[in-house]
Amino acid sequence: MGRSNDAIEKIRQLIASGELSPGARLPREPDLAAQLGLSRSSMREAVTALVHAQVLDVRRGDGTYVTSLEPHRLLEGIAHAVELMQDDTLPEIFELRRLLEPQATALAAERITPEQLARLRGHLDAMRRSETIEELITHDAEFHACIMAATGNRTLTSVVNGLAARALRARTWNALNIADARERIMSQHRAIYEALEAGDAALALSWATIHVTASEKDLLRTIPPADRRSTSPA
């Protein structure tokens, strides 16, 4: 992997320096390999790795291009990684969510637009009307995605949305007694919405903290105690 790592780094440097800008087409493989002093096999491995990382995009019959390099593309692998994590690492994911998601929700309270509030209200109402668990999960995810989008920070949005992977959200809802839990969770969503509507960042932060903490407790009920890894100080 040493040579392919060197190739990845050299291509990365071309992008970082601006020699290859977002949307730019890479030179032909043999030409770029010669330019960088690399073998064609190392170049091919590097391109494959960078395609998986959403840095490059191979278009059949056209060539290889640098992607837009937008945060949502570069960071979309976070959700896939979270979905593959083992039970004993999930408390660490929620610890990170508690650090980021409430602060992001507070930021959204300061920046959310009337149009974004209307979309948020639509998902809140749709959650209330949902007749299936799939509908609930979809609108729950969209509710939180709308909040993150309202921050105006695409990198923060990508990270937080990735940490709140759909698979974890589905696992939490499926583990709950919906009749007992639905109103409790809906009340938390309503409180978050009302704080955002009022533009009250402190209240939005508080309710988001409560909601993330409650979600963690709900999910941890599905994990045997012996399989949990504590994130609390010793």
Side-chain angles (χ1 to χ4, degrees):
M1 289 295 292
R3 290 181 180 177
S4 61
N5 285 340
D6 288 343
I8 290 170
E9 179 58 23
K10 288 183 177 181
I11 296 173
R12 190 197 67 79
Q13 288 174 0
L14 290 177
I15 296 171
S17 69
E19 189 170 342
L20 287 174
S21 57
R25 181 177 178 174
L26 271 65
R28 293 172 58 249
E29 182 184 285
D31 296 336
L32 185 57
Q35 174 187 336
L36 298 178
L38 299 165
S39 68
R40 291 183 64 176
S41 61
S42 295
M43 178 61 61
R44 197 171 298 116
E45 290 174 5
V47 168
T48 299
L50 291 170
V51 166
H52 286 305
Q54 302 295 329
V55 174
L56 299 179
D57 178 28
V58 175
R59 304 176 189 174
R60 293 188 180 278
D62 188 10
T64 301
Y65 291 79
V66 180
T67 67
S68 64
L69 301 180
E70 293 182 348
H72 74 275
R73 290 205 65 167
L74 297 177
L75 296 171
E76 69 178 17
I78 291 176
H80 299 309
V82 168
E83 290 175 0
L84 293 173
M85 286 186 174
Q86 301 301 300
D87 286 349
D88 66 340
T89 61
L90 293 182
E92 295 181 7
I93 296 300
F94 275 95
E95 185 172 60
L96 187 52
R97 281 186 62 187
R98 286 197 303 274
L99 290 171
L100 295 178
E101 193 167 329
Q103 293 291 343
T105 305
L107 184 61
E110 299 173 353
R111 298 179 175 179
I112 197 165
T113 66
E115 293 77 16
Q116 289 169 326
L117 271 172
R119 285 196 293 273
L120 197 62
R121 181 72 196 199
H123 288 299
L124 184 65
D125 291 341
M127 283 183 69
R128 185 180 299 108
R129 296 192 304 268
S130 293
E131 297 180 356
T132 66
I133 189 68
E134 289 77 15
E135 289 180 284
L136 267 174
I137 293 166
T138 295
H139 291 293
D140 182 14
E142 289 298 326
F143 178 88
H144 290 286
C146 282
I147 295 173
M148 293 304 108
T151 67
N153 186 316
R154 294 178 300 167
T155 302
L156 179 62
T157 296
S158 296
V159 171
V160 174
N161 287 345
L163 293 172
R166 182 182 175 89
L168 290 187
R169 198 179 300 279
R171 180 172 171 179
T172 301
W173 274 108
N174 283 313
L176 295 171
N177 182 321
I178 298 300
D180 295 335
R182 183 167 178 160
E183 185 52 41
R184 168 174 60 83
I185 295 174
M186 283 300 305
S187 69
Q188 294 168 9
H189 283 76
R190 280 196 299 271
I192 292 171
Y193 171 82
E194 290 169 2
L196 292 167
E197 185 180 39
D200 191 328
L203 188 59
L205 186 150
S206 297
W207 274 111
T209 301
I210 290 170
H211 181 58
V212 172
T213 303
S215 297
E216 177 181 18
K217 290 179 179 178
D218 288 336
L219 181 59
L220 288 181
R221 290 192 187 100
T222 72
I223 302 174
D227 293 337
R228 302 177 193 174
R229 180 188 300 173
S230 174
T231 56
S232 302

